[in-house]
């Protein structure tokens, strides 16, 4: 019941704050590809940067006089808007994507400077809380004298609070080993993406649940840390229909990158040559891998991964404000479901198969609850045929209430072409949820 109560409570305004933990694996389902750009939230960007420079850095300098061997470790940040306009900006930002990417945007954006990284540790930064906006009046004003002096920051846009503690700095040997990071650029079906890993091991693959030989079941989520060969490894999600759950392992060592295909179904390619289970050593200079097929075969739509060893935390100022996702420069073709006006209007992109549609929260497309005759798991998209502009669908509902151009489909797989209309949950008393298929070229 909890998974339905929380969204309903938020809708009715019964939840005091938005708080999500990356350890819970909670993510938001969104419609279409999102672009996370600092220029959309300039006031938030500046306020966070100002807080880091004017609160954390002075606090660290004062503490260094007492214990220079400790560094400030941030585990949580709480944000509250001071005005209605900033409250709208804050919630637009928070609703843009899932929690790991919001935290990554903060660390690689407003907090990204040598000065901040030398005084603040973000390894345990996993929690983010959005405190509801409260319009100021004489009754709810809070005296600044009740706030500790070192956490008081006069910012006209946002109230920022943190949960921190002091932790020992890394030993000189450990710092020397970790002074380089892996700079990663990805081009896949969702466009371009740029991130940095401070883990020396990175596993590229697709988000899913995998069962290891020892019986452990792990949910692979983007930007999560896995225990791999008794060392931390960052899992990075790649959007491509031919990428396996755990596709390829990249390890940064003293001479460059050690690349090992993890028995993927469709292979990892270097210079159009497929790699196998034996690790291959690559130089530190930029190396390019193709996941799911060679570059030369354009029909495979393989994902491209660019690797480069850089000094830890070093991004160009231009990269700081680059979206985590930007539209692909290559023309792509993508199916879209276009919702009719009777069902609420809008569209959702079909990115991969299988693709489930229904009222269950685990479906890739969750149909609004006001369609009671749509089953919890109603329809499955089995395959996409771009050349013939069609998709293969199968009714998996309890009562078989699926109609293609007003003809009931039955339980067997059928093909749906571009322009055709599909209706789910139609009865004499209910009009059903109606949408058609479109082919989007970009």
């Amino acid at each position: 019941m909890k998974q339905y109560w929380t969204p309903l409570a938020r809708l009715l305004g019964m939840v005091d704050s938005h708080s999500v933990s990356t350890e819970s694996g909670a993510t938001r389902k969104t419609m279409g590809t999102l672009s996370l750009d600092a220029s959309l939230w300039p006031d938030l960007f500046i306020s966070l940067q100002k807080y880091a420079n004017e609160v954390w850095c002075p606090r660290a300098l004062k503490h260094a006089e007492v214990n220079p061997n400790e560094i400030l470790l941030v585990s949580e940040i709480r944000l509250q808007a001071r005005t209605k306009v900033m409250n709208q900006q804050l919630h637009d930002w928070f609703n843009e994507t899932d929690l790991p990417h919001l935290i990554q945007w903060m660390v690689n954006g407003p907090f990204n400077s040598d000065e901040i990284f030398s005084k603040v540790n973000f390894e345990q930064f996993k929690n983010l809380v959005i405190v509801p906006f409260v319009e100021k009046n004489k009754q709810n004003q809070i005296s600044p004298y009740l706030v500790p002096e070192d956490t008081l920051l006069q910012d006209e846009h946002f109230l920022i609070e943190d949960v921190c503690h002091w932790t020992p700095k890394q030993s000189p040997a450990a710092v020397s080993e970790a002074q380089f990071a892996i700079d990663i650029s990805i081009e896949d079906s969702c466009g371009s993406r740029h991130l940095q890993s401070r883990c020396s091991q990175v596993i590229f693959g697709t988000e899913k649940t995998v069962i290891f030989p020892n019986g452990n079941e792990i949910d692979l989520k983007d930007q999560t840390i896995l225990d791999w060969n008794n060392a931390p490894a960052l899992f990075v999600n790649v959007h491509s229909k031919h990428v396996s759950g755990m596709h390829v392992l990249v390890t940064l060592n003293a001479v460059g990158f050690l690349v090992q295909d993890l028995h993927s179904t469709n292979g990892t390619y270097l210079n159009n040559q497929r790699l196998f289970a034996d690790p291959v050593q690559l130089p530190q200079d930029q190396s390019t891998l193709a996941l799911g097929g060679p570059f030369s075969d354009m029909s495979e739509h393989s994902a491209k991964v660019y690797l480069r060893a850089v000094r830890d935390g070093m991004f160009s100022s231009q990269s700081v404000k680059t979206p985590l996702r930007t539209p692909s420069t290559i023309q792509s073709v993508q199916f879209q479901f276009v919702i009719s006006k009777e069902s609420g209007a809008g569209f959702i992109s079909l990115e991969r198969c299988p693709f489930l549609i229904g009222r269950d929260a685990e479906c890739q497309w969750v149909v609004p609850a006001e369609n009671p005759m749509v089953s919890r798991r109603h329809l499955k998209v089995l395959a996409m045929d771009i050349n013939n502009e069609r998709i293969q669908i199968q009714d998996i509902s309890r009562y078989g209430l699926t109609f293609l151009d007003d003809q009931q489909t039955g339980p067997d797989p059928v093909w749906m072409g571009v322009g055709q209309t599909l209706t789910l949950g139609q009865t004499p008393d209910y009009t059903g949820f109606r949408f058609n298929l479109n082919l989007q070229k970009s």
Side-chain angles (χ1 to χ4, degrees):
M1 186 65 185
K2 181 179 179 182
Q3 62 178 326
Y4 304 107
W5 164 249
T6 302
L8 179 61
R10 286 182 177 173
L11 179 64
L12 298 177
M14 299 172 65
V15 175
D16 291 334
S17 65
H18 300 294
S19 179
V20 189
S21 171
T22 54
E23 294 181 348
S24 68
T27 56
R28 266 178 223 86
K29 287 182 171 61
T30 53
M31 296 181 68
T33 302
L34 299 173
S35 175
L36 193 59
D37 190 344
S39 63
L40 297 176
W41 311 281
D43 303 289
L44 177 62
F45 188 97
I46 293 171
S47 294
L48 289 169
Q49 191 174 62
K50 181 180 178 182
Y51 186 85
N53 287 318
E54 298 185 15
V55 174
W56 286 339
C57 290
R59 190 189 305 175
L61 287 172
K62 289 180 181 179
H63 186 77
E65 298 175 1
V66 180
N67 190 341
N69 296 320
E70 290 185 336
I71 190 171
L72 192 66
L73 183 69
V74 177
S75 59
E76 178 178 293
I77 290 180
R78 301 171 63 88
L79 298 170
Q80 183 182 32
R82 292 184 180 272
T83 65
K84 291 182 178 179
V85 174
M86 291 301 106
N87 185 56
Q88 183 62 49
Q89 183 180 132
L90 180 61
H91 281 78
D92 287 345
W93 169 76
F94 186 80
N95 292 322
E96 184 74 5
T97 185
D98 55 47
L99 184 69
H101 288 98
L102 293 174
I103 290 176
Q104 184 193 20
W105 178 86
M106 295 168 78
V107 174
N108 291 339
F111 300 155
N112 184 25
S113 74
D114 291 341
E115 175 71 11
I116 296 172
F117 280 142
S118 67
K119 295 177 175 61
V120 184
N121 187 324
F122 297 103
E123 290 181 358
Q124 300 299 319
F125 181 19
K126 297 181 182 296
N127 295 321
L128 176 65
V129 178
I130 305 301
V131 181
F133 169 70
V134 178
E135 194 165 3
K136 286 187 177 181
N137 55 51
K138 293 183 179 180
Q139 284 72 33
N140 62 28
Q141 285 184 350
I142 300 175
S143 171
Y145 297 103
L146 298 177
V147 183
E149 183 179 354
D150 65 342
T151 63
L152 183 61
L153 177 67
Q154 298 298 327
D155 186 279
E156 59 181 335
H157 298 311
F158 298 98
L159 175 65
I160 304 173
E161 296 180 296
D162 60 57
V163 176
C164 302
H165 67 272
W166 301 103
T167 187
K169 292 181 179 180
Q170 291 179 316
S171 64
V175 172
S176 177
E177 292 174 1
Q179 64 180 341
F180 284 95
I182 305 177
D183 191 40
I184 304 167
S185 295
I186 300 172
E187 293 181 9
D188 57 18
S189 61
C190 284
S192 300
R193 181 182 179 194
H194 187 196
L195 65 154
Q196 186 184 57
S197 171
R198 292 181 175 85
C199 291
S200 61
Q201 298 184 113
V202 179
I203 296 175
F204 296 93
T206 299
E207 290 184 337
K208 63 185 299 186
T209 301
V210 297
I211 301 176
F212 285 83
N214 61 4
N216 290 340
E217 187 174 295
I218 296 180
D219 288 328
L220 298 177
K221 296 291 185 182
D222 187 43
Q223 306 288 302
T224 56
I225 305 297
L226 307 177
D227 183 14
W228 189 266
N229 294 330
N230 297 321
L234 179 71
F235 177 80
V236 176
N237 183 45
V238 178
H239 290 271
S240 178
K241 62 181 179 179
H242 295 315
V243 172
S244 300
M246 301 186 76
H247 195 103
V248 63
L249 169 69
V250 174
T251 304
L252 178 62
N253 55 27
V255 294
F257 300 106
L258 196 64
V259 180
Q260 182 180 11
D261 184 88
L262 300 176
H263 302 283
S264 64
T265 303
N266 298 290
T268 302
Y269 291 79
L270 175 66
N271 298 326
N272 291 325
Q273 297 296 315
R274 183 167 182 170
L275 306 180
F276 293 96
D278 294 333
V280 175
Q281 182 68 54
L282 302 179
Q284 284 188 355
D285 295 338
Q286 180 166 307
S287 300
T288 304
L289 301 175
L291 277 55
F295 294 142
S296 58
D297 188 352
M298 299 302 294
S299 64
E300 293 292 338
H301 301 289
S302 58
K304 297 180 182 179
V305 175
Y306 303 91
L307 305 170
R308 187 167 59 98
V310 296
R311 287 200 171 273
D312 189 12
M314 296 298 290
F315 268 109
S316 66
S317 59
Q318 182 180 3
S319 297
V320 170
K321 298 187 178 182
T322 298
L324 294 178
R325 284 287 186 191
T326 55
S328 176
T329 56
I330 303 174
Q331 186 182 49
S332 60
V333 180
Q334 189 177 50
F335 285 112
Q336 284 183 340
F337 291 125
V338 181
I339 308 168
S340 67
K341 292 182 179 179
E342 297 87 349
S343 298
F347 71 91
I348 187 168
S349 298
L350 177 60
E351 296 180 355
R352 71 175 85 175
C353 293
F355 186 88
L356 288 177
I357 303 173
R359 291 190 296 110
D360 193 286
E362 298 303 318
C363 291
Q364 279 76 33
W365 185 10
V366 181
V367 174
E370 58 263 26
N371 297 276
M373 299 310 294
V374 175
S375 297
R376 291 171 62 82
R377 292 175 175 245
H378 195 108
L379 189 80
K380 180 185 288 187
V381 181
L382 302 173
M384 294 183 284
D385 183 357
I386 294 288
N387 294 330
N388 294 307
E389 298 187 354
R390 61 180 186 172
I391 61 174
Q392 189 179 43
I393 59 174
Q394 182 180 17
D395 180 283
I396 57 173
S397 65
R398 184 174 182 181
Y399 301 109
L401 299 177
T402 300
F403 299 86
L404 183 60
D405 287 342
D406 297 324
Q407 295 294 318
Q408 199 161 3
T409 62
D412 296 327
V414 297
W415 288 97
M416 176 184 183
V418 170
Q420 287 191 284
T421 300
L422 200 65
T423 306
L424 310 183
Q426 180 179 342
T427 68
D429 297 322
Y430 295 94
T431 57
F433 188 74
R434 185 181 294 265
F435 55 91
N436 57 33
L437 184 66
N438 184 33
L439 196 61
Q440 179 70 28
K441 296 182 180 180
S442 58

